Every structure is written in C-alpha cells, then in structure tokens.
Amino acid sequence: MTIKAKISLGLGFMFAIILGLGGLGAYYLHELADDSQAILKDNYSSLQYTSDMQKALLDRATDPDALHRFNENLMKQEANVTEEGEQELTTALRRDFNRLKTIPADSAALKRLQSALLQLDDINRQAMFRKNGTAEKTATDALLLLAVVGTICFLIVFSFIINFPSYIARPVRELTRGIREITSRNFEERLHFRSSDEFGELARSFNSMAQKLDEYEHSNLAKLLFEKKRIDTLIQLMSDGIIGLDENKKILFANPVACRLLGIDEAKLVGRYAPDVASVNDLLRTLIQDLMAEHWTEAPSQPTYNGLLKIYDPGLDGAGKESFFNKQIHAVTVAPTGDGELRPAGWVIMLENITPFKELDQAKTNFIATVSHELKTPISSIKLSLKLLEDSRIGELNVEQKQLIGHVRDDAERLLSITSELVNMAQVESGQIQLKIENVAPMDIVRYATRALQVSASQKNVHFAIHAPADLPTVKADPDKASWVLVNFLSNAVRHSPEENKIDVSVSSLGKQVEFEVRDYGAGVRPEHRDRIFDRYFRAPGNNGQSSGTGLGLAISKEFIESMGGEIGLRTDPEAGAVFFFRLPGT
C-alpha cells in the first residue's frame, strides 16, 4: 500500500469516527425531543383541556357561555385521547354533559362530570411523570453511551495522532542519518526498516547505493594505495629535493635529497609543524618564508613561486660543495564539495638542482669573455692595416681595391661591435658589471650619443630632433653605460628609419626620475614581438623579413639600466614607428 493510500485511509478513519459520534448524538437528541414532544402533546394538552372544563362548570351559573366553552374543550379532549382509561372517561364526560344540557338541575350528572374530570387529570399527570422518567432514562443512557464511545474514539484517535506521524517521520529520520553517514564516507551504513510503500522502496534504493559505493571505495582503495606507493617511490628516487606540506603546514613527506640539504633525518621531519622546524633550521626558514606571507593564506591557488638559492650540498659520498637550486612552491588545491570552489590542500616545495647548468653557463661566460677579449687585438690590427692601405703614400689603389677594403673595414667594425657586446654580456652574466656612478647632466649623454651616430644618420639623411627643457636635474648614473644604452637606441632607430626622416630624442623629468625617449618613424615593432624585445639573442625581423644585429644590444641595455637603479621599456601605443625609453634616478 502506498503512503498516499495510508494517509487517505487514516484520514478516512478519523472522519468515520467523527461521523459516528455525530450520528449517535443526533439520534439521542432526536429521541429526547420525541419524548418531550409526547409529554407536551399528549398529556399537558389534556391537563389544559381538563382545567378549562372544570372552570366552565364552576362558571355555569354566572356565565351563559360556560357550557359552550366546556363543549369546545371536550371536543379537543376527544381528539387527544392517548392514555389507557382516558377513552372511557372521555365518553362518560360526553354522556353526562349531554344529560346536563337536557336537565340543567341534574346534580348527579354534575357530580359525575367533576369526578371524571378529576380522574382524567390524574391519569395525565401520572403519564407525565412516567414519560418524564422515560426521557431521563433516555438521556442517562445517551450520556453513558456517548461517554463510552467517545472515550474509545478518543483513545483510538490519540493513538493514531501519536503513531501515524512517527510512522512518517521515522523513515525520514533514518534516511537523514544514513545520508550523514554516507557523507562521512561510512559506506557500510544500511537502512533496516522494511515496508511495502515508498519508504520501503527508498530504503532498498539507499542500501543498494551504499553497497555500490562501498564496493567502489574498496575497489579503488587498492588502486589508490598502489598509486601512492608508486608516487612515494618516484619522490624518493628523484634527484631534486621535495618537501610536502598539508594545509596546516605540517610536513607530510621529505625525500632523501631534501633531508640531506636540510641536515635533518626524515623521521625528525615528517609530522612536525614546519615553522617549528624552521625556527632552528635556516634553510627551511628560507623555503617557507613565502608560505608564511598573508597572500598565501588568502589565495592558495597562486602560481608557482620561484627563487634561486645557493646551498651547501654534503653529497652522497661526503664530498660537499656549493650548489645552486631553483626553488619552486606549488599550491595544491581541491574542490571537495563539487561546487567548483577551490580550497587549499597543502603545498609542495621543490628544490631543482641546476648546478650542472650553472657550471656550464659559467664556462660559457668565461669562454665568451676570453674569446671576445682575444679577438679585439687581431681586429684592431686589421683596422690599422686597412688604414695603412688607404694611405696614398704606400701606393694608389684602384676602384675595385678600394671597394674591397671598404667591405673589409665594415666587417671589421661589425666584428669589433660584436666582441664589445660579448664582453658586456660576459660582465652581465658573471655579475661583474663595473659601474662608476656619478652625477651626470642628461644633455651630456644625449650630445655624446647623437655625435656618435651623426655619420650613420647623415648617410640616410636622417636628423635628430632633440626635445629637452633647460632645467633638467642631473642623474645618478655611469656616464659610459648610460651613453652606450642611448647609442644603442639611436643605432636601432637609424637602422629602421626611412631615408630623409627624423628621430625624436626627448628628455623629461618624471618625479624623482629623468626619462630618455627615442622615437623613430619606421615600421615599428610587431605586437607579437614586443614581449621578447629585451630577451637575449632575440632579433625582430626587419621590413625585408630579415633579422639584423646580434640580439644582445637591448638585453645588455636592460641589464645596464636596471643595475643603475633605473627602468627601461617599449611603449605599446605609438601611432607609427617605435618608442624606446629608459629612466634614471635624479639627484
């Protein structure tokens, strides 16, 4: 039977009880009304007729209408004969009344009339008492029966009210408890109530679901354990140091490399609160200092944080050395509620050993510095020899020879420029940039750079338009490095400017900085190349699709300006050409 049918049946049962009680009460009320009506109609009316007839007899001597009133009441009495013996008395009254009308002075007839009226009065009075007793008995029986039936119905309805809501609420309560257990991953929970209605079907479906989840949980548990074992093995075998923290910053794991670098055994690390360990370990304090910052708590899904560290590595064989490690911190986030909201689940700190790459990079830097330095001498000799060949005192050269010497001179200049940039790059990479910071007038830097590029600019009929106020403050900079950067900007501008054009050189004061800006009106820098324009060895294609230069000039310029505490960049909003700028701190 369905829940709807049970509820309908229960409500129908209560309606039947109410209807039965109401019908029983209505029946007894009707009985009492009949008894009362019988007393009024049968006996009280007869008493009234008898009393009127007695008054008519008494008024007979003085009232000529007395006999007429007697006759009217007698006729009414004849129509209201209801009790035993009443008919005989009524007949005797009619007979003696007729005699009295014939012989008015008949005293015997008058006495018989009075005696009959008294007897008729007595019969109706006794009948009233008898019928009143019957009505009282009916009322008593009705009250008793209604009390018994009402009590039984009350007990039935009270039991229904107590048990029926429990019948509905208990399965719901059991289902709620079961759902809580399933939410807590207790997939062994089952609902044990049995019923043939929807609740029974719901319990069977819930148990089936819990069984499937339990089977799924146990079937995946072995896989999860296997995957965890494999991941643990991979972590232990990795050559990089790895440390895992949970969302409360407790150390979950640390592989042998990390333990060796920290100088702490794994058993003394795992399970401990990382800041407690960091209070006595400088390296771990350095590793987790970013985690202790406020923004890591507010945004656990931030991208990886990187940093280069120089750490003493004892090594497996005890031959320790200073090594270089790239620190990476990965935030682990999960969405446990399935609503897409990410919550922190921990962090993984990785120390990537880049010592071999650093050593190779250092070897490359040393090689470049050595080669570039060694190349300067023969290149200078080549330039000197070319200058001697051009001297007419040695001998006249024909046109073809002069062209060849010009080509050799250009190649020598190019080689000398390349070696100078390589020397500068070697200084940058080795961190040995030698700066001579002094107060320099911005216009001195501009005049030096424009004079250095005047010949190249005049060959393309390009002129420099200088814009600078007269009250510029001096800047704190290395004049040679700052001039080199501006020369590099102007050289690129001349190279990419059309013939018979201009190059704007602007100097302005921006707060506590002085900005140098170079603008040409050439093809400009394509949007896809702007983010890489200051990368090493990157060369943007020119108008003919070919790249020019070594790709080191702008990268070296960036290193020089930043080492002097300035800024460098490329504007992305010019209407035509390219606009490069750098800023130096003012005095």
Side-chain angles (χ1 to χ4, degrees), residues 21 42 145 193 282 321 354 391 417-418 518 524 534 559:
L21 286 175
D42 298 343
L145 183 59
F193 60 87
D282 294 337
K321 65 175 182 178
I354 59 172
D391 194 340
S417 176
I418 292 174
V518 175
F534 290 99
E559 296 289 345

Side-chain angles (χ1 to χ4, degrees), residues 442-462:
M443 288 308 299
D444 291 345
I445 299 174
V446 174
R447 281 191 289 268
Y448 176 85
T450 53
R451 281 199 301 266
L453 272 299
Q454 191 64 50
V455 176
S456 300
S458 62
Q459 291 177 353
K460 298 182 67 173
N461 293 325
V462 174

